[in-house]
Amino acid sequence: MVFSEDRRVPEVRHCKQCGRPIPLGIDECPDCRLHGSAFLLLPKEVLIGAIVVVLVLSFFAVGRATRAFHAKEQAWAESWFERGENDLKSKQPEAAIEAFRTALKYSPDNSLFQLRLAQALISAHRTVEARSYLLNLWEREPENGPVNRELGLLAAEEGNVADAIRYYENAIYGVWDIPDEDRRRALRLEVYRYLRARGATAQAEAELMAMSGEAPRDARAHVQIGEFLLQDGYYNHALKEFQSASEIDPRLEAALAGAGETLFQMTRYSEAQHFLSRAVAINPRDAKSRALLQTTVLVQALDPFDPRLSIQEKSLRTACAFESAMGRLKDCADKLTARPGKTPVDIGLVSQYAQGLKLARQASPRALLRNPDAIVSTMDFVFQAEAAAAKACGPATGADWALEVLGEHHRGAS
């Protein structure tokens, strides 16, 4: 015990750890001895640091466990999604529906999973449920390309033209995982076919024109557009597309052949021959272009209505056409006579031939030269005879086929 020198009062000691007074006669702080440990005896800064380390480690441990759980959930979701994709490809939509729904249990906000579920529902003809999923997706992502396309298809199937076009337009200019100009053209073609099927020809043609404007330097795209226009009889627009393709790629055989066929349909035979000759030179195996080229040459050689011809040449061509038509009638009648149960009388070939015999005198080159006005009536008979023979015996070849073509074109012009 320590006493002060002046008053001899015992000096009070304080614990260096907790600061409490140490009772007389005791060397250590009773509180620290009772509750203390090596950890608690550490300085306050060290103690706080240790607590922080423990908390951080605990946080990371919990985060790691959470991530592992989510990773397992994602793996399950991907596994069920892949199963659904396989079921959908195998045309098992009901199984796909269940698989996609299970995938969504593990990944409920996955837009792709929801889209695939909607597509599976459509395949299962459960359009009401499919539309519900699609509209929910559309409200969240109105610019989503695949979602708009599916909604456009549903609207088209229901005959809702306005909604179909609206959703398709959204799909055409919408967001896709991979931007693709070919997909945009394919979507416009879907709209085009839909509008054509509904008889909206003006709107359909506008879609093709829009497609043309979006592919200014793609020769094959112009050919594709031109083929649709040619098929639907828009010859002027079709020719422009084929010519654009040919300017981009002068050796693209499809462009040359398309231009030649279009000009042939427009009865611009000389120009058609030019393009078809180039197409056949590039691809001699193109049987269609080769046959069309041959017909084009024959049509020009047989046509008596070419204004550049003299009266003598017109008369000669008319007389040759008349002889060819009479021969065609006779050959067709002979073929039909050889068939059991069917005679030429049944289809009027005999009366047609008899009419030709009556016209024989006026159809000679000299008679036509003396009476050029008979050229028109003689050629009318030729066209009728060729059409009757074609109806009875099928399409002709060579000169007779060229005369059939001439007849169709002159009937269309009149």
Side-chain angles (χ1 to χ4, degrees):
M1 182 178 298
V2 180
F3 296 93
S4 59
E5 294 181 357
D6 51 348
R7 295 185 180 180
R8 297 292 180 176
V9 177
E11 182 179 351
V12 178
R13 293 179 302 159
H14 292 81
C15 177
K16 294 180 180 180
Q17 184 65 34
C18 65
R20 294 187 178 90
I22 300 174
L24 296 175
I26 299 176
D27 294 332
E28 295 180 273
C29 174
D31 291 326
C32 292
R33 183 174 57 186
L34 180 62
H35 303 292
S37 65
F39 180 75
L40 292 176
L41 292 175
L42 293 172
K44 184 182 296 185
E45 293 79 4
V46 175
L47 181 60
I48 292 172
I51 293 172
V52 170
V53 169
V54 171
L55 289 174
V56 170
L57 291 175
S58 299
F59 174 78
F60 279 109
V62 172
R64 184 173 181 180
T66 302
R67 285 194 298 273
F69 176 73
H70 286 316
K72 185 174 290 188
E73 278 194 321
Q74 186 62 30
W76 289 335
E78 293 290 345
S79 176
W80 280 104
F81 175 74
E82 184 177 352
R83 184 181 301 185
E85 290 275 74
N86 292 332
D87 289 335
L88 201 56
K89 291 177 183 176
S90 302
K91 301 188 183 303
Q92 301 179 50
E94 294 294 345
I97 290 169
E98 293 305 314
F100 289 135
R101 280 184 169 156
T102 304
L104 282 167
K105 289 180 181 178
Y106 298 111
S107 184
D109 297 325
N110 192 303
S111 298
L112 178 59
F113 292 4
Q114 293 177 28
L115 175 61
R116 287 292 189 273
L117 174 57
Q119 291 170 334
L121 289 166
I122 292 172
S123 297
H125 306 291
R126 295 160 63 174
T127 55
V128 175
E129 296 173 80
R131 183 181 291 100
S132 177
Y133 276 100
L134 290 171
L135 288 175
N136 284 335
L137 284 169
W138 188 88
E139 288 176 1
R140 283 166 25 203
E141 303 175 28
E143 74 287 352
N144 187 303
V147 171
N148 276 287
R149 179 179 180 270
E150 294 298 332
L151 285 168
L153 285 171
L154 285 179
E157 289 178 3
E158 295 169 352
N160 191 333
V161 179
D163 279 354
I165 293 175
R166 176 168 64 88
Y167 284 124
Y168 260 108
E169 287 295 322
N170 290 344
I172 290 168
Y173 297 107
V175 176
W176 296 77
D177 291 338
I178 302 175
D180 188 352
E181 288 300 320
D182 290 338
R183 182 195 299 113
R184 177 175 290 188
R185 285 196 297 273
L187 289 171
R188 285 208 180 277
L189 284 176
E190 287 184 26
V191 179
Y192 166 78
R193 292 190 183 102
Y194 171 66
L195 292 171
R196 283 290 296 163
R198 295 192 63 85
T201 55
Q203 289 176 283
E205 186 181 4
E207 286 298 325
L208 289 181
M209 293 300 97
M211 195 190 322
S212 174
E214 291 171 356
R217 297 301 301 171
D218 189 334
R220 296 191 181 277
H222 283 292
V223 168
Q224 185 182 35
I225 298 166
E227 288 172 346
F228 279 105
L229 290 166
L230 172 61
Q231 178 183 340
D232 291 334
Y234 299 118
Y235 298 134
N236 287 322
H237 289 312
L239 181 59
K240 289 179 182 178
E241 294 301 320
F242 290 127
Q243 288 175 331
S244 295
S246 181
E247 290 171 3
I248 296 169
D249 185 354
R251 291 190 57 80
L252 183 59
E253 187 262 342
L256 298 170
E261 183 178 355
T262 304
L263 288 163
F264 180 87
Q265 295 297 335
M266 299 170 74
T267 70
R268 293 162 60 176
Y269 299 116
S270 177
E271 296 170 87
Q273 181 178 346
H274 169 72
F275 279 96
L276 290 169
S277 298
R278 291 173 60 192
V280 171
I282 293 172
N283 181 16
R285 295 182 180 180
D286 184 353
K288 181 180 179 181
S289 293
R290 200 168 58 247
L292 200 57
L293 174 60
Q294 181 185 11
T295 303
T296 301
V297 173
L298 283 171
V299 166
Q300 293 180 91
L302 295 172
D303 186 5
F305 298 113
D306 188 336
R308 297 170 297 179
L309 299 177
S310 65
I311 295 298
Q312 290 86 348
E313 182 64 22
K314 289 181 180 181
S315 300
L316 181 60
R317 289 189 179 191
T318 301
C320 291
F322 179 80
E323 289 182 11
S324 183
M326 291 295 285
R328 170 83 164 130
L329 284 173
K330 187 176 183 305
D331 290 343
C332 182
D334 291 343
K335 289 179 182 178
L336 291 175
T337 303
R339 296 183 192 174
K342 195 170 186 180
T343 66
V345 179
D346 296 335
I347 51 176
L349 288 180
V350 169
S351 61
Q352 193 80 42
Y353 189 79
Q355 182 185 354
L357 292 175
K358 293 178 182 178
L359 292 174
R361 288 186 178 181
Q362 76 168 40
S364 68
R366 288 184 179 181
L368 291 168
L369 186 58
R370 290 194 301 268
N371 182 21
D373 292 341
I375 291 176
V376 174
S377 60
T378 303
M379 288 305 299
D380 285 342
F381 166 79
V382 169
F383 297 148
Q384 292 169 9
E386 292 289 353
K391 183 178 180 181
C393 297
T397 58
D400 288 304
W401 167 237
L403 289 171
E404 283 184 40
V405 171
L406 266 176
E408 291 175 2
H409 288 171
H410 280 286
R411 281 194 297 272
S414 60

